[in-house]
Amino acid sequence: MQKVTLIPGDGIGPEVSRAAVRIVEAAGGKIVWETVEAGAEVAIKNGTPVPDEVINSIITNRIALKGPLTTPVGGGFASANVALRKRLNLYANVRPVKTLPGVNCRYDNVDLVVIRENSEDLYSGLEHIVVPGVVESLKIITETACMRIGKFAFKYAADNGLTKVTAVHKANIMKLADGLFLECIRRAHRDYPEIEYEELIVDNTCMQMVMRPERFQVMVMENLYGDILSDLASGLIGGLGLTASANIGEGGVAMFEAVHGSAPDIAGRNMANPVAMTLSAAMMLSHIGQPEAANRVRGAVEAVLAGGKSITRDLGGTASTTEITDAIIAAI
Ligand code: NAI
């Protein structure tokens, strides 16, 4: 049995978390859940969206499954997601994006993974008003973090039998910051000469992803580019309802979550697609050494999507969150 911290989260979070937990249990996942609350409602009660209890639970259990957390736009408290990633030093965000059977979308051959540096860049939150009407926002790039993510990306490629890594950057403009990033990724590549390596400017990358997504395997990039390009990648395979992610730290700490947010427009209406959260739970099962349960979850999700009957509205169907969850459990 593995003890796992469960953070249901805001908006659609509790609905998709409940679905994922039911599916993991049906698949024979040997998990003892420890539920703790974080997010916007917790911030109103406690003054912080991430109470120490949450951090302590994850540090103790080392593994967490997290629902989306709402961040107020333009003011209010700082992002609880960024706070969690920073406080737990979850430096690598891994977002696999693969065409799923039966999902109606523009491509049938996408199989890439976005590896996003998770700890710095413009997400350092260092902003200030210089004089009224002028704001300075600091982009922090360090050799330590770039080397760490570079090594992670090449190791990920090697461990998963992948043959190509693309570093995404804007070093033509940010010559120092993105220049340092590229220099570190090149250094990391030296240990993996058998892996093909290329560098691509971020704007060109967006165009290439839309035109020829099959040319990418592992894509490594700074925090902001990774945030944006992983949503773009989700769109290539049918949307945010389908894409899972892992936040990996040092010393075995890892937090798994869907790429999507709290979707306030559909929250509480039993309409959310639980597949992204469920596939995140499958990534977690693989990570903690329960690959059979992980494969059962993935197989059942794929069977239900391929069947095309019990699919949610974001995929063109009419099924509720509960109906697709029941169908996945039946397929298991
Ligand atoms: P969002 O991902 O919540 O929603 C974008 C669009 O995708 C919406 O139309 C939504 O209905 C749809 N969508 C998302 N997930 C879906 C699902 N599982 N099934 C069906 N449709 C789905 O992004 P948005 O609206 O920009 O952000 C809402 C809140 O979520 C914000 O407070 C934001 O800060 C937060 N957020 C949190 C994240 C996290 O916890 N990791 C990640 C992204 C956003």
Side-chain angles (χ1 to χ4, degrees):
M1 281 287 177
Q2 165 88 42
K3 206 165 171 194
V4 169
T5 301
L6 177 70
I7 305 171
D10 294 315
I12 59 171
E15 298 164 70
V16 294
S17 305
R18 208 175 305 124
V21 166
R22 284 184 58 208
I23 292 165
V24 166
E25 281 170 6
K30 293 184 179 56
I31 307 285
V32 178
W33 303 99
E34 180 172 272
T35 305
V36 291
E37 302 290 342
E41 280 178 32
V42 176
I44 296 168
K45 274 188 256 153
N46 294 21
T48 167
V50 187
D52 284 345
E53 180 206 3
V54 174
I55 301 292
N56 293 339
S57 169
I58 301 175
I59 289 174
T60 306
N61 297 329
R62 314 203 77 71
I63 305 293
L65 181 66
K66 183 185 87 58
L69 304 176
T70 297
T71 306
V73 174
F77 60 82
S79 165
N81 296 302
V82 174
L84 269 170
R85 291 168 193 160
K86 275 196 190 150
R87 285 185 68 184
L88 296 163
N89 204 8
L90 300 168
Y91 68 92
N93 194 329
V94 181
R95 299 182 159 187
V97 178
K98 190 168 186 231
T99 306
L100 288 158
V103 176
N104 187 13
C105 60
R106 289 172 203 272
Y107 304 95
D108 58 7
N109 54 357
V110 181
D111 190 2
L112 58 86
V113 54
V114 174
I115 296 190
R116 164 184 173 192
E117 203 292 319
N118 228 1
S119 70
E120 55 179 25
D121 189 12
L122 280 158
Y123 289 61
S124 57
L126 298 171
E127 288 192 318
H128 69 116
I129 297 169
V130 183
V131 291
V134 180
V135 168
E136 195 170 45
S137 186
L138 296 183
K139 167 164 168 145
I140 305 293
I141 298 294
T142 66
E143 185 179 4
T144 306
C146 294
M147 279 312 302
R148 192 168 57 174
I149 201 69
K151 286 180 180 171
F152 183 95
F154 284 103
K155 183 171 186 319
Y156 183 95
D159 289 352
N160 289 280
L162 301 168
T163 55
K164 183 175 168 189
V165 171
T166 305
V168 179
H169 68 95
K170 190 76 186 175
N172 49 333
I173 304 297
M174 280 158 280
K175 293 179 194 294
L176 291 181
D178 287 20
L180 174 60
F181 172 79
L182 279 187
E183 187 193 309
C184 293
I185 307 300
R186 283 176 202 152
R187 265 160 56 198
H189 180 224
R190 284 188 209 143
D191 291 336
Y192 297 86
E194 71 287 1
I195 293 180
E196 186 189 343
Y197 171 63
E198 68 169 352
E199 296 171 354
L200 220 51
I201 293 176
V202 63
D203 33 349
N204 179 20
T205 308
C206 291
M207 184 271 288
Q208 300 272 351
M209 283 175 81
V210 172
M211 299 279 292
R212 292 194 298 136
E214 71 282 359
R215 74 187 290 293
F216 295 106
Q217 293 186 25
V218 174
M219 306 175 76
V220 59
M221 60 198 84
E222 294 165 11
N223 211 337
L224 177 64
Y225 308 145
D227 195 358
I228 298 170
L229 265 56
S230 54
D231 269 37
L232 190 160
S234 296
L236 302 174
I237 61 150
L240 283 168
L242 300 172
T243 33
S245 80
N247 299 275
I248 308 284
E250 275 157 0
V253 179
M255 185 175 79
F256 298 81
E257 61 179 328
V259 169
H260 64 70
S262 54
D265 51 337
I266 56 167
R269 294 164 64 189
N270 200 19
M271 275 170 67
N273 187 347
V275 165
M277 188 69 173
T278 302
L279 292 178
S280 306
M283 282 178 87
M284 179 192 80
L285 289 168
S286 298
H287 181 86
I288 61 176
Q290 300 190 22
E292 297 85 7
N295 289 339
R296 277 194 285 274
V297 171
R298 282 195 201 100
V301 165
E302 288 184 9
V304 168
L305 293 176
K309 271 198 233 134
S310 305
I311 55 170
T312 42
R313 280 165 203 271
D314 55 312
L315 302 178
T318 55
S320 65
T321 310
T322 319
E323 281 162 353
I324 187 172
T325 306
D326 290 343
I328 294 168
I329 290 170
I332 291 170

